[in-house]
Amino acid sequence: MWNDFLDMLFPSYCQMCEAGLAKGEKIICIYCRYHLPLANYHLLEANPLEKRFMGKVHVRYAWAYLKFTKRGRVQKALHALKYKGKQEVGQLMGIWYGEELRKSGHGEHFDLILPVPLHPSKLKKRGYNQSDTFASGLSEALATEWSPNLLIRTTASSTQTRKKRFERWKNVESIFGVSDPAQIKDKRILLVDDVITTGATLEACVEVLQDAGCREVSIAAIAAAQ
Ligand SMILES: [Zn+2]
């Protein structure tokens, strides 16, 4: 009854379409749930995302759960996750996608799920890493471990900050690191991020993980731009 009362005072809205949620609906309404713009890359033999990494870094799989379109419902949900403190959006996407992966036979393909770390100053400001929420949802659905602090991002040194843009681009790998390589060794890693645009950050992370001795790296994001 208390919850009903709270719902009356603070009605909850769907994080994708902003319609009021009906009883039993949580975070995302039933309509949006059944009209998700699924990328379904995990069902394809080869997909456009894998092509994006080809010739740059070797990844076993590169997947996105949803297709990202500007001003669309997916963008709205990602915005809520990143800027409005709606961590449950990322968690839910992880659970839903993890279930899809399990159903299609990919449930046992990974030993460890690692989120792309945020820059420490950003983490301090936001209070959480949005990719952690996706990782934790996937971890729950796939019954696979995840860790928020094995893949780390170190603060750029003052010399790095002073470097020109082009040089910093070249040096992007040097700001990622692995805190405990023994825990990465021989593992099949699923590296996760909220959204894939150019893929440059992910490439840098893949290289760092491979240098640390993992067996293979795959990539999964909540959404990818087409
Ligand atoms: Zn909705």
Side-chain angles (χ1 to χ4, degrees):
M1 210 181 88
W2 176 242
N3 280 338
D4 287 347
F5 178 65
L6 282 178
D7 280 350
M8 224 162 65
L9 282 183
F10 309 102
S12 4
Y13 295 95
C14 170
Q15 297 302 322
M16 281 191 159
C17 71
E18 292 177 343
L21 289 177
K23 215 173 174 171
E25 289 180 334
K26 268 186 191 147
I27 307 157
I28 287 167
C29 76
I30 301 274
Y31 178 87
C32 287
R33 162 97 217 237
Y34 286 99
H35 292 83
L36 289 174
L38 300 174
N40 280 331
Y41 289 156
H42 61 289
L43 303 177
L44 304 174
E45 205 47 63
N47 74 61
L49 211 48
E50 284 165 0
K51 280 191 199 130
R52 213 177 296 181
F53 292 100
M54 220 175 261
K56 294 175 184 160
V57 285
H58 179 74
V59 290
R60 171 86 190 267
Y61 303 112
W63 296 325
Y65 182 34
L66 305 172
K67 294 179 196 163
F68 181 88
T69 45
K70 270 210 166 137
R71 290 179 292 278
R73 284 181 294 164
V74 174
Q75 188 187 30
K76 201 157 251 169
L78 288 171
H79 184 85
L81 166 64
K82 238 167 133 169
Y83 303 109
K84 292 176 163 178
K86 300 286 181 193
Q87 297 186 60
E88 55 273 32
V89 170
Q91 172 87 18
L92 189 63
M93 294 296 151
I95 291 172
W96 286 353
Y97 195 39
E99 282 166 2
E100 293 292 320
L101 292 178
R102 211 159 32 84
K103 273 191 267 173
S104 61
H106 289 294
E108 282 162 18
H109 285 173
F110 313 106
D111 306 308
L112 183 62
I113 301 168
L114 297 178
V116 169
L118 269 191
H119 190 277
S121 65
K122 241 185 202 171
L123 183 62
K124 206 170 164 193
K125 205 172 145 205
R126 188 169 302 160
Y128 62 93
N129 176 358
Q130 70 277 4
S131 300
D132 283 0
T133 66
F134 185 50
S136 111
L138 282 167
S139 164
E140 191 182 318
L142 294 172
T144 300
E145 252 186 275
W146 80 280
S147 166
N149 45 30
L150 275 174
L151 181 59
I152 51 170
R153 193 161 181 152
T154 51
T155 317
S157 68
S158 55
T159 46
Q160 254 176 337
T161 330
R162 261 186 274 127
K163 275 181 187 159
K164 288 196 293 273
R165 250 185 101 182
F166 174 70
E167 287 169 309
R168 279 177 61 195
W169 177 258
K170 262 198 325 193
N171 276 328
V172 67
E173 325 164 28
S174 63
I175 57 169
F176 291 100
V178 168
S179 62
D180 185 359
Q183 295 204 49
I184 302 288
K185 203 170 161 41
D186 291 328
K187 297 265 168 79
R188 298 166 304 168
I189 290 169
L190 182 61
L191 176 66
V192 305
D193 209 351
D194 54 341
V195 65
I196 300 179
T197 47
T198 65
T201 308
L202 285 159
E203 276 170 42
C205 291
V206 170
E207 283 180 0
V208 161
L209 291 169
Q210 283 168 345
D211 288 348
C214 70
R215 200 200 301 178
E216 60 182 37
V217 186
S218 297
I219 288 169
I222 298 175
Q226 298 301 289

